Amino acid sequence: MTARAQIGVTGLAVMGRNLARNFARHGYTVAVHNRSYAKTQSLIDEAGHEGDFVPSESMADFVASLERPRKVVVMVKAGGPTDAVIDELLPLLDEGDIVVDAGNAHFPDTIRREEALAARGLHFVGTGVSGGEEGALNGPSIMPGGTEKSYESLGPILEAISAKVDGTPCCTYVGPNGAGHFVKMVHNGIEYADMQLIAEAYDLLKQGLGASAAEIGEIFAQWNTGDLESFLIEITADVLQHVDAATGSAFVDVVLDQAEQKGTGRWTVQNGLDLGVPITGIAEATFARALSGSVPQREAGRAALPADATPLTVTDREAFVEDVRQALYASKVVAYSQGFDQIAAASAEYGWDIDRGAMARIWRGGCIIRARFLNRITEAYERDPQLPLLLADRYFTDAVGNGLAAWRRVVAQAATAGIPAPAFSSSLSYYDAVRAERLPAALIQAQRDFFGAHTYRRTDREGTFHTEWSGDRTEQEA
């Protein structure tokens, strides 16, 4: 087979198929392959007119159709299936070839694979791709890791097919080995928080106003014209105004209230614990999904637990809607701030040297969390690339400060009315903790020393100390 394809895609489910079409639409000759040739044939039949495709039935023919250095995009399920495809590819590749894993791989797997392929002279590029099937086809946000050398030849192709904002591609080199997949994981964690916060805002509006789903959809549509403008707010307005064809009811009212997850939120929270980074908004959003699916516990709770709550009574509709809007904006800022803290901590831990401003820039378009205020985040890191806390940037300090009274009112109203708002509440608690002059952790340090001789430090002098709690209670330097 003549080697003439500039890039290849193996794995032609929806995401792989749409990425292949995107490459072809941008003038690249694309080799395509799938374990089942029927999917390959179906792509050629339905989209062959969109560009130049080179279909292959076997992996050997697929690899042979690629120009060197070969660039192979793997789009199969994370985990074992990805390893299986890589194992099949390896004997067919030559030194300098590039394997791109564009699935939602766990970043430790990417680090392992990159090391194994580097030992064979191959480039392994763990690449986050966000935007769903529409983004894959029309322009996603792309987060490639791996070697800088691999990005020299691969980068221009990925930048060409990515989303563009103000003419800037939503794709940039992230960092070595697992950096790209790590950033995509955190993106998904922020997405969990964002979606939970929006759901809590919807619930508060529903219970406080007694409004229909369509009416609340109109509120979200209005919010999407201001600071909250984002893809998730936009689709929320659309979903809430959608009517179920089978029942004539609001679509959201006939959907089961048990949210599922594919694991990236869980990975983000686990990594936050590993790094010691408080990503409370992301964690509460992840746990909220888990609780929604805890059917036996919820049934038992409904049957046995008293509410002792005061019904939420709204006397000024417009003021309440504005309070919820401001609480949502402030809580979203906290979620993003925590996510960028996690990226900074991992970058330091793994030596990735990730540019957080660049991450905000490539998330402005194509991806699920694209939002107007990502421009503000980009500007914040341009002002101070080492910014220790996004909330401390003057723009966000003012923006959140202006909505602080509303935020407190909303969290208090939810608590007294017995309406669960874990992401709103935890975000406000984080805000108050990070700005506090002194935290009760001093007492925890004393407790730890009392029962486990874990030592403590003092405010008035340097050093580490231990008190003889079970003896004469004298203090000694540890």
Side-chain angles (χ1 to χ4, degrees), residues 196-216:
Q196 176 66 25
L197 289 165
I198 290 170
E200 290 177 16
Y202 153 74
D203 197 25
L204 285 160
L205 293 172
K206 180 180 180 181
Q207 299 206 41
L209 304 178
S212 68
E215 289 169 333
I216 300 170

Side-chain angles (χ1 to χ4, degrees), residues 79 83 107-117:
D83 284 324
F107 79 94
D109 289 339
T110 304
I111 293 174
R112 167 179 60 81
R113 290 166 182 149
E114 197 272 342
E115 186 178 324
L117 268 68

Side-chain angles (χ1 to χ4, degrees), residues 6 29 38 78 93 228 297 330 355 378 405 409 412 439 452:
Q6 293 145 302
T29 299
L93 299 176
L228 281 172
Q297 290 85 354
D355 181 343
T378 302
R409 282 193 295 271
L439 293 169

Side-chain angles (χ1 to χ4, degrees), residues 408-427:
R408 295 194 188 285
R409 282 193 295 271
V410 167
V411 170
Q413 286 173 302
T416 56
I419 300 171
F424 273 171
S425 303
S426 67
S427 298

